[in-house]
Amino acid sequence: MRVLVIGGGGREHALCWKIARSPLCEQLFACPGNAGIAEVASLVHFDVTDHSDVLESCSEFGIDLVIVGPEAPLCDGLADTLRAAGIAVFGPSAAASQLEGSKAWAKAFMARHGVPTADAWAFDDADALSAHLSTCPVPVVVKADGLAGGKGVLICMNREEALEAARAMTTEARFGDAASCVVVEEFMVGEEASVFALVEGDTVVPLQPLQDHKRRFDGDQGPNTGGMGAYTPVPAVDGAMLQRIVDEVLVPVAEGLCTEGTPYRGLLYAGLMLTDEGPRVVEFNCRFGDPECQPLLLALDSDLLPLLAATAKGELAGVEAPVFAGGASLCVVLVSEGYPGSYPTGRRIDGLESLAGREDVVVFHAGTVEVDGHTETAGGRVLGVTARGPSVEEARRLAYEAVELISFEGMGFRNDIAHRALSRG
Ligand code: AMP
Ligand code: GLY
C-alpha cells in the first residue's frame, strides 16, 4: 500500500513511525512532516487547503490510502473530496467532523441521541450571553463554538470571571470567528480520561484509554496547552468503565450519525469526565489526540495499517481487534520557553543520537527542523519522549531517564506525568 499522512506534529510522527513498520506499507509519504518524520517517510509539499492540489499529488505519488492527522482539513471537507475521487481516506466527512468543529452542534447532537454530557446553552448574541452569565450557577464553563486550537475554553469559578469571559469571547481577537457563537456549559467535577475508538458506520472498536495533561505546569497549574504529556492505561477506566463508555457514549454517537445520514469513518476521540453519576462527555475530537497518540501507538502491539485501511474502506467489522499486550506507555512533551505563549525557535537540540535505535524509548518529533546536519526547535511543542514498560511506573522511569539525555536552551516539561495513576498507590 502507498500511504500518505497529512500533518507534521508529534501525532503524525507516531502514526508514520507505526505505519512504516507495517509489512503492508510499500511506500510512505507525509505532508508537510518534520525532521523526525523524514527518517521514516518521504516528505512531500502541497497546499492542504487547496483540494485540487491534494488530488494532483495523490495521483502523482500513486496514493492508495490517505490518513488525515489534524482536525482542520477534516472540518474543511478534505475527506469528502478524496472519497469523491475514489481515494480511501481515514478521517470523517465535514458533516461528521462537526462533532469537533462546532461545540453547539455537538451538544445538540448529544441531546438528540441521549449521550450523557454537561447541560449547555448556545448564544450568538452578546447581550443574551451576558444576561445568562449574570444569573446562571457558578462555576460555569464558557466555550468558543468553533476550532480554537484548545484555547477556546474558559473555566469561570465566580460571577466576575463569567462576565469577564463573556466580554473576552465577544470582543477579543484571539477567539476570532470561533466565538461568533458561544456555548455556556454546566461545570462538571471528576477525573478526566480520553477514550479513542476506530469508528466506521455503526462498528466501534475502542482502544486502550488514556489520560492527557493539559495544563502547562506541575500539579495541573498554569495555562491550558495542546497537551504536556499522556499515558496509558488509566486505572480509573477499568474494563467495566470502558464498556459503559462504549455503550453509553461511543455506540450511540456512531449509530446517531448513521441515522442522520452522516456515518463516521475515522478515529473518534471522546474526552470524558468520570463524574459521580457516571461518564459524561467533555468534548469530541474527530482525530487522534496529540500527544495521546504517541504513547497509544507505542503500546499497540498490532499492525496499525490494516486497522486504518479497513476503517477507510468500510471493512472495520471484519478485522481482528487491536492488541495491547498489557504494557504501559507514557509520553513527556518537551516544550520551548514561553509556550503556550510566544516562544523562540531555531535552538539546537542535543542528545537525540543517544536514544536512536531503542525499542523501549522513542522520541517523537513535533516542532523540529533539520538544519545543516543537526536538529533545531521549530515550534512550541518540540519533542514527545515516549517510553514503554510493564507498568506505568516503569514507563515513567524510562521516559524521564531519556528526558535527562536531551537538551536545548529554554527546554521545559512537566515532572508529574501520570500523577493520578501513581497517587492511587
Ligand atoms: P475542551 O477543549 O472542551 O476539552 O476543554 C478543555 C478543558 O476544560 C477540559 O479538558 C476540561 O478540563 C475543562 N472543561 C471543559 N468543559 C468542562 C466542563 N463542562 N466542566 C468542567 N471542566 C470542563
Ligand atoms: N491533547 C488534546 C488534543 O489532542 O485535543
Side-chain angles (χ1 to χ4, degrees):
M1 227 181 296
R2 295 170 68 84
V3 183
L4 167 67
V5 171
I6 291 182
R11 162 183 53 213
E12 288 78 21
H13 188 191
L15 285 164
C16 287
W17 171 84
K18 187 70 181 165
I19 291 166
R21 310 186 133 211
S22 170
L24 299 175
C25 180
E26 207 178 303
Q27 199 168 354
L28 179 60
F29 301 86
C31 171
N34 61 33
I37 294 173
E39 290 171 12
V40 290
S42 308
L43 302 193
V44 293
H45 295 280
F46 51 78
D47 179 0
V48 176
T49 63
D50 179 345
H51 292 186
S52 56
D53 201 7
V54 182
L55 288 175
E56 231 169 77
S57 300
C58 287
S59 133
E60 183 186 343
F61 301 115
I63 300 301
D64 304 303
L65 172 66
V66 178
I67 294 147
V68 184
E71 61 278 14
L74 294 167
C75 293
D76 189 35
L78 182 58
D80 304 76
T81 304
L82 290 165
R83 258 179 220 125
I87 299 170
V89 49
F90 181 85
S93 64
S97 300
Q98 288 182 94
L99 279 176
E100 175 166 4
S102 167
K103 291 186 191 290
W105 190 90
K107 281 288 175 184
F109 175 85
M110 283 187 264
R112 287 199 291 282
H113 298 284
V115 177
T117 187
D119 286 341
W121 297 263
F123 299 93
D124 50 19
D125 173 84
D127 293 334
L129 172 65
S130 296
H132 179 87
L133 290 173
S134 318
T135 54
C136 70
V138 285
V140 65
V141 184
V142 181
K143 299 185 175 184
D145 176 60
L147 295 181
K151 295 176 189 109
V153 175
L154 301 173
I155 312 270
C156 312
M157 298 314 290
N158 54 46
R159 180 83 46 218
E160 227 165 56
E161 286 178 15
L163 290 171
E164 173 53 25
R167 195 201 58 72
M169 285 277 173
T170 49
T171 60
E172 284 180 20
R174 66 185 158 126
F175 299 109
D177 282 350
S180 56
C181 171
V182 175
V183 174
V184 176
E185 270 185 31
E186 167 203 0
F187 180 74
M188 297 185 286
V189 178
E191 183 168 340
E192 282 182 72
S194 305
V195 175
F196 297 177
L198 299 167
V199 175
E200 182 263 299
D202 59 5
T203 305
V204 171
V205 176
L207 306 176
Q208 193 165 279
L210 295 128
Q211 209 160 48
D212 187 15
H213 297 65
K214 288 202 166 84
R215 301 293 200 95
R216 168 64 186 83
F217 298 111
D218 288 5
D220 296 322
Q221 302 296 311
N224 260 325
T225 69
M228 294 296 297
Y231 70 99
T232 181
V234 179
V237 187
D238 58 10
M241 177 58 83
L242 181 60
Q243 192 56 52
R244 220 177 141 181
I245 292 164
V246 169
D247 295 342
E248 295 177 17
V249 175
L250 298 169
V251 167
V253 168
E255 290 181 350
L257 288 168
C258 288
T259 312
E260 297 193 7
T262 55
Y264 201 91
R265 264 190 199 186
L267 191 288
L268 178 62
Y269 169 140
L272 301 150
M273 191 75 81
L274 308 176
T275 72
D276 288 345
E277 296 88 53
R280 297 172 82 195
V281 173
V282 177
E283 63 162 350
F284 286 119
N285 293 317
C286 59
R287 37 77 192 170
F288 283 96
D290 187 341
E292 295 97 315
C293 186
Q294 291 83 312
L296 184 72
L297 296 189
L298 193 60
L300 174 66
D301 294 296
S302 315
D303 187 349
L304 178 68
L305 191 50
L307 292 163
L308 301 181
T311 307
K313 292 176 183 162
E315 298 162 359
L316 185 60
V319 302
E320 265 177 51
V323 175
F324 295 85
S329 176
L330 181 144
C331 170
V332 180
V333 177
L334 307 183
V335 301
S336 294
E337 190 174 2
Y339 175 81
S342 57
Y343 49 81
T345 56
R347 296 199 162 159
R348 187 190 171 105
I349 304 170
D350 290 311
L352 290 171
E353 331 68 57
S354 60
L355 292 159
R358 290 265 297 262
E359 281 292 312
D360 55 344
V361 177
V362 182
V363 181
F364 293 115
H365 290 230
T368 65
V369 67
E370 201 67 20
V371 180
D372 300 332
H374 67 267
T375 312
E376 288 186 358
T377 66
R381 291 193 290 176
V382 177
L383 298 165
V385 181
T386 311
R388 177 181 167 149
S391 62
V392 173
E393 287 89 334
E394 186 58 10
R396 173 160 133 140
R397 191 183 65 73
L398 288 167
Y400 279 108
E401 263 178 27
V403 166
E404 290 297 311
L405 301 174
I406 299 173
S407 62
F408 56 86
E409 193 187 337
M411 178 174 113
F413 57 90
R414 273 181 64 162
N415 295 285
D416 66 345
I417 303 304
H419 65 92
R420 281 196 191 77
L422 301 180
S423 64
R424 288 181 155 233

